[in-house]
Each structure stands twice: as C-alpha cells, then as structure tokens.
Amino acid sequence: MSEKTPLLHYRLTCSTGPVHTDVSKHTGVKMDQDDRRTEDQTSRKLGVVFGVVIPTLLSMFSVVVFLRIGFVVGQAGLYQSIAMFLVAYFIITVTVLSVCAISTNGALDAGGAYYMISRALGPEFGGSIGIMFFLANVCGSALYILGLVEAIMPTFGVPKGSVHHVLPSGYWWSLLYGTVLLFLCFIVCLVGAHIYAKATFIIFIIVVTALASIFISFFSVGPVGVILPDTSALNSTSMSTANYTGFRLHTLESNLFSNYTVDYTTDAMMSFATVFAVMFNGCTGIMAGSNMSGDLKNPSYSIPRGTLSAVLITFITYNLLSLLAAWSCDRYLLQRDYSFLGDINIWPPMVTIGIYSSAMSAAMSNLIGASRILYALSKDNLFGGCLALAKKTSQSGNPWVSVLVSWLLVQVVLFAGKLNTIAGIVTIFFLLVYAAVNLACLALEWASAPNFRPSFPCFTWHTCTVGILGCLVMMFLISAIYAFVSIAFMLLLLMLIHYLGPISKWGYISQALIFHQVRKYLLMLDVRKDHVKFWRPQVLLLVKNPSSCMGLMTFINDLKKSGLYVLGHVKLGVLDELPSDPFQSCYDSWLSLVDHLKIKAFVNLTLADSVRHGVQNLLFISGLGGMRPNTLVLGFYDDCFPQDHLQGEILPSTAHGLDAVHSNTDSEEQCSPFFPGVRAAERPKDLKAEEYVSVIADAIKMGKNVTLARYFNQFKGHRKVTGPFIDVWPLNLLLPDSRGYVDICSLFLLQLACVLHETRAWNQARLRLFLCVEAGCSLQEEEEKKLRMMLNELRISAQVQMVPWDHVVALHWQRQGGRGSLIESAHSDNERQEEDGIQTFPNNVSHLTDEYICAVNSLIFGHSAPQPAVRFLYLPCPPADTSLYRAYLHQVDLLSRDLGPTLLVHGVTPVVTTDL
C-alpha cells in the first residue's frame, strides 16, 4: 500500500528530468545525448534485490505486520485467516502479472506507476488511476500515522504503572500526537526525499531484525501472563491479563475457527469483510518494483523476478506468523492486545523500534508518493488550471506546493481517529487501482496492438479478467457504499479527462480498442447479404471549398439517417510535380471543421489531374467493406458566386480541452484550421459545364444515386427548419408525357424526403406530395387513389395535392407539332432504355424548350404557399449524346431557378419495400 521507496525514487528522478530512451526522438521528446548518457550511468545502477525486492518488502512489511496479525487471527481464526491471505494474494498476484506485463513492454523510464500506465494507455486511464493512487497514498499516510500513535500509547500512554507512561490519552490527544508526527514527515518531505532515500536500507535492516526477533521469541519465550487494558471501556485505565501459552495443541484448536467480536479500539463489531479490509493493507505495495524502473539496470528482467519474489516472501511470512500466533497465544490475548508481539518478545524494545521505524517510513513514503503523483498530474496538464499551483517547485526542484496540499489532505484524514476506521477506505482505493491496472492490461491484450509484446509471458486475458473480478468482488464485500462511490468517482474522472482534457501524444487505448472492434465488425458486414428493407443513405458529398457550403454539409448530416457520410475533396495537381503529399498539412483542418459543425462525417481527400478523375477515384475508393457511399451529392453548377461563411468563425484547434497541449506559438498555427478564400468574381471555375455533367453520368454508370443541391447557402450552417413543409415533386417534369409515379427514381426521391422528415431537426415539418394531372382527365381520381394506396403501404404520411398542368403541357405539344409524334418518340426512348438497361440514357433534351421549362418552374413556384423549407425534384438522366450536356445543364438550371433550397434527385437503386 505504501509504495514508499518507488515513489521516492520517482521524485528524485523527476526533479532532475526523466531518463528518456532512444525511442523518445520519435515521439517528440528532446534531450541532450550527453546528458542522457550521463544520467543513465548514474541512475541505472540497481539490480533485482536492491532495486525491487527491498523496496517491495518495505512497502508490504508495514505496521500491519506488527499490530494486526494477532487481530486477524483472533477475530477470524486460523482457517479464515489463511483463506483471507489466499484471496488477497491471489488478487495481488494476478495484478502483479499485469504490472509485469506492462512494465516489460519495451524500454521504461522513471516515473512511477502513474507515469507507466498513462504513457501506455493514454490520459483517460492514466489520469483517473493517478488520482485514485494519489488518494490511496493520502489515506495510507494517515493510516500509518494512526498506527504509530496506536503503538505509542500502550508504551507511553496514561495507564499508570511505570515512570515512562506520561502521555495523556483520548481522541483529541491522539489527534494531536498524529498531527505532530505528520508535521515531522512534512518537514522531511519539504527538505527533500533524499534524506529518506539514504535511510532506506537501514530501515529495512531494522524491520528484518524485528521480524527475526519475533520468530525467535515464539520458540524461546515460555508461557507468560500479559497485562492488557480493560476492555470494558475504550479509554479505561483498569488492567486485566491474558495468557501466552507457548506451543499448545489446545491453544491451536481453540484458534482454528472464527470468533468475531467487538474491536476494542473502535467499539465496532467485526466481520469477515472488515477484518479482510484491515489485513489487506499489509499486502499492498506491489508496484514498488515497477515504480523503480528508471533506476534499474534491466527493468524487464528485475521487475518480474523481484516483485514475484517479494510477494512470495511476504505470503510465507504472514502465514507463518498467523500459524505461530494461533498455536501459542490465547484468543483473548489476540483480541484484546494488538501489540502483544512486543510483550512476548525476548527484547520488547526491538518490536517497538520496528513498529516505529516501519510506520514512520511508510507514512513519509506515502506522503512523498502522494505529492509526486500530484506533481506529475499537474505537469501533464490533464486537469488544466485546477492543478496549476501544484507545478511550483523550489530551487532544488522539490514540488513544495504538492507536498503542502498532500499534507493538508492527510491531516484531514487524521480526524478519522482510528486505524481500523480508515483501513476499509484505503483498501477500497487500492483494490480499485489494482482493478484498473488489470483492466488496462486486459485492454492492451484485447486491442491486439503489434507494439504490445511484453517480454514477461506469464499472463493472459484470463488472469486480467480474474484480477478485475476479484478486486471488484472484494470491494463490494468490504463496503458496497464505498465501492460504488469510488467507482463512480473514477468513472467521472475518466469521462472528464476524455471530454475536457487536452489531446496528448501518449496514445489512446480507446482508439486501439475501437479500431479492433470496428475491423472485426466490418469484416462481418457482408455486402452479399444486403437487403432493400435495411437500406440507408450513405452519402459522398463533393466539397470544393467548405467555406462556401457549410449549410449544405450540415443539411446532408441530417439526411444521412445514421448512414455513412463522407466529405470528398478533389485537389487538382500531379503528385510527381509536388515535393510531398499536399494533404498532410490540411487534413487536421478538415477534421476540426467537422468538429466545429458537429457533424458525423469522414473526410476523404484526393489528388487528380481533373475534377472528373478525382470524383471517379473517390467513388471507387471511398468507404471500406460494406460501408461504401451509394449516393453522390454535388453542389449545383450555376453562375452564383460563393459566399464565405467561415469568415469570422473561431474554430476549435485539435488541442482542445482545458488547456492546450502545446506551449509554443507555432503549434497554434499548425492546429488551427485553414481554408483558402472563396473564388473571386474574375477567377474562372476549375470545372467546365460538360465535365460537371460527365461527373453525373459517371456516377450513374457506377450504380450510384445522384443528388444536386442548390441554394443551400441559405441555411448558413444551422439546423433549424425555416419552413413548415418538405415539398416532393415525384414526376419527371422534363418528360411531359410521363405518367408513372412509381418508378425507381420517384420512389428513391420519396424515400429521401421521408428520411429527412424522420430526423429530429425536421420531424416538425410536413411532407407535401404534388401529383401533376390533366384537368378533367378520367384517370385523375384513379391515379390519386393508387398514389395514396402506395403511400399507405410504404408507411409514409404525406399531404397529397393534385396540380393541374394542362396549360404547361400544351406549350410543349405546340412546339412539337402534335401529341402523337412526341408519344412515339417517348415510347421509342423508353423501349431503348428497357432494352439496354440503366446504362443507356434516353435523349429528351432536344424536344424541350425554354418556354416550357420556365412554365414548369412557375408552376412549382406557384404551389409554394407557404414557402417550403426544401424541395425534392426529379432529376432526369443526362443525355447519351455528350454534345447535349450543356443544353441538359441549362434545362435543369431553368427548372430549379429561384426555388430556394432544392434537391434534384436521380435514383438508380431500389430503396423501399412493403415486406416485413
């Protein structure tokens, strides 16, 4: 739990700068090569024993081994005590496997568990685990201070009978003693961690000597009576006795089973969960070796062997002490005197020295560790200005503000008053940290990233999963309320860092997991199993300059109906004539624009010698697997000059969050989106009219639906509907003799309008369907009935309006010299289309006049009261004769002129069905 020595060395290294590996030059970290070589020679000197085993043993052999072994055996009995140790060590062993896997995944620098996890898994995991680890160390420091006070009181407390019992007892007196001891630790931490670092080996010798004296005393000391405080009241000064029997079979038999009773220090009834919470504090500290990674000669070799060796040594030691205590001590002694090891020792002061030294070193270590974790969090800027003050250091590099904040928090925890009171909270925090470490290793394993190949092989996703479940189960067994609150707090931190934290260059484990899952499900998305009833629009929107079409990009985002949405851009040029990829510097700008508009779109940029070839490339390569665009959307080709809607807009940079990641001025220019200004009036278009129509024809040849969008600059980037209606004209108005309303194109047009109507921003609008009929025609009622029946079968709610257009059609017949010749021409065109399929286009352009098309335009405009938010019009196929492309575009222009936001739609794929 204490993580004493590792966090100490973490501070010593951080104060002089981290030791970077050669890989750092590829990750943007700069450091002088000579300094790095010198620091490697001076810092990386520790082997398995001094670098891993001793720090881990010091962290795990804390005050608990001296003051709570008897408590555990006296309350739970020998059987349940061994079961507790088995459960606890099973949990920490599988966690050690995860720690070893992460710590041996490549070259490691100094920085402690937080540094290692945050760099391996990204800021979300690293930041949330770092905060929980910080809180665990804060509570752990208070725990050891309270344990030290509890050890001092029996020796120097008021129960009179000896000259050295001079200290008054009571809650406030104990708080005062704890405050004084904590202040001493605070002074040491302010002076510098090197004071404690030099004494680490001496403290270890003292602790080992004290443990050796305890084992010797069990075999050398005969039966004695031990004086202990009267348990009738917590602060009573009356005395009673209990027996140390030596090794007796009767004593062992009486201590085999549990006998939970009231804890005389807290007056609380004990249970398996509460006793386990206290006992587990002696099993923590397993991350000491990984935290020493910057000072180890060979971290990948030392950490697994040293950590596992320390875990095995402490497991054997704890179980031996439990067996010896159960075999030789009366249960009343175990339950009523937590410091009995000193009473039965061959030299009682030895145990007292061991308790004092281990408690003080653990308290200082936790205080130092908490301050260094807080300092590291502040340097990484994960919480922005909230931790800005914690960055301040002294001239020697000591983070005195972090030490001060940690000291104040530990002082607050001291008000709990008793060791057993906060032991459960500390245990919950460490179990949560261990569960997070296992989850981090599990995420790396599941992500299947090629660079995750640790040299420590003894782990699988099964051990990680068992570790997570074991930690979570024990958390809720100890305290369901504390466990729930801790998990909720950690998830809150994770979400806070994810959404508000800055973008880091450490890598995001979430991105690796998403990639892994997306790849798996994309392979499962089989295009051969597509069915019309599951069709959805998957749109490729061609964008010349996003500054002039923000409204259209937002509108298409509503139209996609949870389908694929790709923003395509063609840059004219030849790669052979360019020094590098021209899109490397501007791709981030497009992504920032997508974030700014709050649309769900991908960006696909291509380089081509012509716009037509670029669009062909995009149609061929956009998407992946079963997710490919089926609809091409183009802005309309007219003489209107584009307007710059991005002028004056402040777009978010890629380094979003509470604070920017970069501190230099150049990074802001690199991250800020930049798009060239709109086309000036005197500048010609890059795309000719014939090439524009060729793009439409190419898309239809490739089996793509085509939509031309006009006048969508009126939306100006917002999503609020400006009109109460969505108007649909399903008839091919450029083929006057057409009577069919149920061809593929008409149904596709109707489906798009229905999809738009179902979106949240458009569900208040109403669909209006306009049916063009001849006045007085006997088929008018029949056509309307058929149309309403079709709408009912397709579950589309629309207001149908009959529009007489005899006077409009008459203009066309007069020009053609009679109805019969046009009918024959139209029939021959239709037959040719049926024979040759969708790839052959009927040529009706030469039959139409501007007068007729203007009349149709006036007819549409005349039925626009009130003004609709958007119109859907039937877009006929381009003519097969390329010489008529300009005339075709002219007619489409006249048809949609001054109608407001309009979509001219041509569909080539079935999109509706009446089947379940």
Side-chain angles (χ1 to χ4, degrees):
M1 175 184 62
S2 61
E3 314 294 320
K4 298 185 286 294
T5 305
L7 290 170
L8 162 69
H9 284 268
Y10 164 41
R11 174 62 196 106
L12 289 175
T13 311
C14 287
S15 64
T16 58
V19 181
H20 297 282
T21 66
D22 293 336
V23 183
S24 62
K25 63 183 179 181
H26 300 293
T27 58
V29 181
K30 297 179 180 179
M31 183 175 182
D32 184 79
Q33 297 292 335
D34 295 336
D35 293 342
R36 181 189 305 160
R37 188 179 302 109
T38 302
E39 204 162 341
D40 282 338
Q41 294 173 353
T42 57
S43 299
R44 296 183 178 271
K45 295 181 178 181
L46 300 179
V48 177
V49 176
F50 289 95
V52 182
V53 176
I54 289 180
T56 306
L57 288 177
L58 267 180
S59 297
M60 300 182 75
F61 281 147
S62 58
V63 68
V64 175
V65 72
F66 297 104
L67 293 180
R68 287 301 181 266
I69 284 294
F71 164 78
V72 173
V73 176
Q75 296 286 345
L78 181 62
Y79 288 157
Q80 288 194 15
S81 297
I82 295 176
M84 288 182 183
F85 282 114
L86 288 174
V87 171
Y89 272 84
F90 177 76
I91 293 174
I92 67 173
T93 299
V94 294
T95 304
V96 165
L97 298 181
S98 298
V99 170
C100 293
I102 298 176
S103 61
T104 59
N105 185 38
L108 290 178
D109 295 332
Y114 159 72
Y115 183 91
M116 175 184 67
I117 295 173
S118 62
R119 266 58 179 181
L121 305 179
E124 298 102 332
F125 274 103
S128 56
I129 292 175
I131 288 293
M132 300 307 296
F133 202 32
F134 166 73
L135 295 176
N137 278 273
V138 167
C139 295
S141 180
L143 179 80
Y144 289 126
I145 291 293
L146 292 175
L148 181 56
V149 172
E150 188 176 310
I152 291 175
M153 293 309 295
T155 305
F156 299 100
V158 152
K160 300 177 179 61
S162 178
V163 180
H164 55 267
H165 289 114
V166 295
L167 298 178
S169 60
Y171 169 79
W172 293 106
W173 285 106
S174 297
L175 178 62
L176 176 61
Y177 304 148
T179 301
V180 173
L181 293 173
L182 177 61
F183 186 76
L184 294 177
C185 297
F186 171 64
I187 295 300
V188 172
C189 293
L190 277 184
V191 173
H194 58 281
I195 297 178
Y196 174 65
K198 294 178 180 179
T200 299
F201 184 70
I202 298 176
I203 294 174
F204 176 73
I205 295 298
I206 293 174
V207 172
V208 171
T209 304
L211 285 174
S213 70
I214 291 173
F215 280 104
I216 295 174
S217 298
F218 275 115
F219 293 94
S220 61
V221 175
V224 295
V226 178
I227 300 176
L228 63 157
D230 187 4
T231 58
S232 59
L234 294 180
N235 296 321
S236 174
T237 58
S238 60
M239 308 298 292
S240 61
T241 61
N243 296 322
Y244 169 75
T245 64
F247 294 115
R248 297 288 186 273
L249 183 61
H250 173 73
T251 304
L252 177 63
E253 291 175 347
S254 65
N255 288 326
L256 291 178
F257 301 98
S258 62
N259 182 21
Y260 294 106
T261 183
V262 176
D263 174 24
Y264 76 91
T265 64
T266 61
D267 202 21
M269 186 65 188
M270 294 292 100
S271 63
F272 181 90
T274 55
V275 174
F276 178 83
V278 175
M279 181 275 301
F280 189 81
N281 287 284
C283 304
T284 56
I286 58 175
M287 295 185 187
S290 60
N291 289 338
M292 294 284 293
S293 57
D295 299 284
L296 300 176
K297 295 179 181 178
N298 190 351
S300 61
Y301 177 86
S302 301
I303 290 176
R305 290 164 175 78
T307 305
L308 291 174
S309 299
V311 169
L312 180 61
I313 291 172
T314 55
F315 176 75
I316 294 174
T317 302
Y318 280 133
N319 280 278
L320 281 178
L321 285 176
S322 300
L323 175 62
L324 295 177
W327 200 348
S328 62
C329 296
D330 183 72
R331 171 154 287 186
Y332 191 75
L333 172 64
L334 298 176
Q335 292 178 342
R336 294 297 182 261
D337 187 4
Y338 297 158
S339 58
F340 77 98
L341 291 176
D343 298 327
I344 65 172
N345 199 272
I346 53 176
W347 189 51
M350 189 71 248
V351 175
T352 304
I353 294 172
I355 293 173
Y356 293 173
S357 59
S358 64
M360 281 297 289
S361 65
M364 284 190 296
S365 171
N366 278 267
L367 183 60
I368 291 172
S371 64
R372 273 40 177 187
I373 294 172
L374 183 63
Y375 176 62
L377 286 168
S378 65
K379 286 203 307 179
D380 287 337
N381 240 357
L382 296 182
F383 297 93
C386 299
L387 300 179
L389 290 177
K391 298 179 183 179
K392 294 183 178 297
T393 60
S394 62
Q395 293 182 352
S396 60
N398 191 29
W400 63 272
V401 175
S402 297
V403 174
L404 179 63
V405 173
S406 303
W407 170 64
L408 292 175
L409 290 177
V410 175
Q411 182 63 57
V412 172
V413 179
L414 284 181
F415 281 91
K418 295 296 180 181
L419 185 151
N420 288 6
T421 304
I422 63 173
I425 300 175
V426 176
T427 304
I428 291 290
F429 281 159
F430 273 103
L431 281 171
L432 185 58
V433 171
Y434 293 164
V437 171
N438 284 296
L439 179 61
C441 189
L442 178 65
L444 284 172
E445 178 71 9
W446 276 356
S448 301
N451 284 321
F452 182 65
R453 44 180 183 271
S455 58
F456 180 78
C458 302
F459 81 100
T460 65
W461 69 268
H462 302 87
T463 60
C464 300
T465 304
V466 170
I468 295 171
L469 295 177
C471 292
L472 294 178
V473 169
M474 295 312 304
M475 284 171 58
F476 282 94
L477 284 179
I478 293 171
S479 175
I481 296 178
Y482 287 162
F484 179 79
V485 173
S486 300
I487 292 175
F489 180 63
M490 184 176 178
L491 291 177
L492 178 63
L493 289 173
L494 192 147
M495 299 302 293
L496 181 68
I497 298 173
H498 178 74
Y499 287 106
L500 299 180
I503 290 180
S504 72
K505 295 184 178 180
W506 308 337
Y508 291 81
I509 188 61
S510 59
Q511 294 297 304
L513 290 173
I514 290 172
F515 176 87
H516 181 72
Q517 295 301 312
V518 168
R519 180 196 63 84
K520 180 173 69 174
Y521 286 112
L522 272 176
L523 291 173
M524 297 171 61
L525 191 61
D526 192 346
V527 294
R528 296 169 296 182
K529 298 179 182 179
D530 282 347
H531 194 276
V532 62
K533 64 183 177 182
F534 300 120
W535 180 90
R536 67 183 71 232
Q538 304 197 80
V539 182
L540 171 63
L541 172 63
L542 265 296
V543 179
K544 166 61 178 175
N545 191 331
S547 303
S548 60
C549 57
M550 293 173 60
L552 178 59
M553 288 189 289
T554 303
F555 174 80
I556 298 300
N557 185 69
D558 292 334
L559 188 65
K560 71 180 188 305
K561 185 60 176 179
S562 302
L564 179 67
Y565 182 19
V566 180
L567 298 178
H569 174 71
V570 179
K571 182 178 179 63
L572 297 180
V574 180
L575 189 59
D576 293 340
E577 301 174 356
L578 299 173
S580 62
D581 183 0
F583 298 122
Q584 289 181 351
S585 59
C586 63
Y587 189 76
D588 285 348
S589 299
W590 283 85
L591 296 180
S592 296
L593 178 67
V594 169
D595 294 337
H596 173 68
L597 296 178
K598 298 180 180 179
I599 60 178
K600 299 178 181 179
F602 297 96
V603 176
N604 206 340
L605 312 177
T606 188
L607 184 71
D609 57 352
S610 68
V611 175
R612 183 182 181 184
H613 290 163
V615 175
Q616 290 176 356
N617 293 339
L618 290 175
L619 288 174
F620 276 124
I621 67 174
S622 292
L624 192 64
M627 294 186 64
R628 293 186 179 276
N630 54 32
T631 303
L632 174 66
V633 179
L634 301 170
F636 197 79
Y637 191 95
D638 54 23
D639 296 328
C640 297
F641 293 105
Q643 300 176 359
D644 191 349
H645 297 293
L646 271 180
Q647 188 173 6
E649 294 278 354
I650 300 177
L651 301 186
S653 70
T654 55
H656 67 279
L658 301 175
D659 281 338
V661 173
H662 307 285
S663 59
N664 55 7
T665 56
D666 295 337
S667 62
E668 296 179 359
E669 297 178 358
Q670 296 171 357
C671 294
S672 299
F674 172 78
F675 298 102
V678 297
R679 178 174 55 89
E682 63 276 3
R683 180 182 173 184
K685 294 183 178 181
D686 295 332
L687 185 65
K688 303 299 182 183
E690 291 82 358
E691 188 178 6
Y692 178 81
V693 181
S694 297
V695 169
I696 300 174
D698 292 342
I700 297 176
K701 286 180 182 179
M702 298 169 66
K704 308 295 183 183
N705 310 295
V706 178
T707 300
L708 307 183
R710 191 172 192 183
Y711 297 122
F712 276 88
N713 56 336
Q714 298 178 14
F715 279 83
K716 297 182 180 178
H718 61 74
R719 297 186 182 183
K720 293 183 179 179
V721 179
T722 57
F725 293 104
I726 300 173
D727 286 0
V728 181
W729 295 77
L731 183 67
N732 186 356
L733 299 175
L734 296 185
L735 191 61
D737 68 325
S738 175
R739 296 179 181 271
Y741 285 88
V742 290
D743 66 336
I744 290 178
C745 185
S746 296
L747 293 178
F748 180 82
L749 185 147
L750 188 60
Q751 177 79 319
L752 276 189
C754 184
V755 166
L756 179 65
H757 179 256
E758 291 176 354
T759 59
R760 182 178 301 176
W762 293 82
N763 57 10
Q764 298 300 320
R766 289 182 291 172
L767 282 177
R768 288 194 303 192
L769 190 60
F770 293 91
L771 183 62
C772 296
V773 297
E774 297 180 12
C777 180
S778 60
L779 298 179
Q780 176 177 346
E781 294 182 1
E782 183 179 350
E783 292 291 331
E784 182 179 359
K785 183 178 180 180
K786 289 182 179 180
L787 182 61
R788 291 188 183 277
M789 185 179 299
M790 182 191 69
L791 293 176
N792 185 55
E793 291 177 350
L794 297 177
R795 290 87 61 201
I796 297 176
S797 176
Q799 174 185 340
V800 180
Q801 293 189 14
M802 313 304 293
V803 180
W805 69 328
D806 305 67
H807 62 288
V808 177
V809 177
L811 295 174
H812 180 69
W813 303 142
Q814 292 171 6
R815 290 286 184 178
Q816 298 302 322
R819 184 184 181 101
S821 61
L822 181 62
I823 293 177
E824 293 175 1
S825 175
H827 282 324
S828 63
D829 286 338
N830 291 336
E831 290 173 0
R832 184 164 61 253
Q833 183 178 9
E834 291 174 359
E835 289 179 2
D836 299 336
I838 202 170
Q839 306 298 336
T840 302
F841 313 123
N843 185 356
N844 194 45
V845 175
S846 59
H847 300 303
L848 300 177
T849 64
D850 291 354
E851 183 181 7
Y852 164 74
I853 299 175
C854 290
V856 174
N857 177 268
S858 300
L859 177 70
I860 298 173
F861 192 81
H863 289 79
S864 302
Q867 181 72 16
V870 65
R871 286 183 180 85
F872 287 81
L873 301 182
Y874 191 116
L875 176 68
C877 289
D881 187 357
T882 57
S883 63
L884 299 177
Y885 277 2
R886 185 173 290 274
Y888 167 81
L889 187 59
H890 172 69
Q891 292 173 0
V892 176
D893 176 36
L894 291 179
L895 177 66
S896 58
R897 183 170 295 177
D898 298 327
L899 292 182
T902 302
L903 289 178
L904 295 113
V905 181
H906 184 85
V908 298
T909 56
V911 294
V912 295
T913 180
T914 58
D915 298 332
L916 290 176

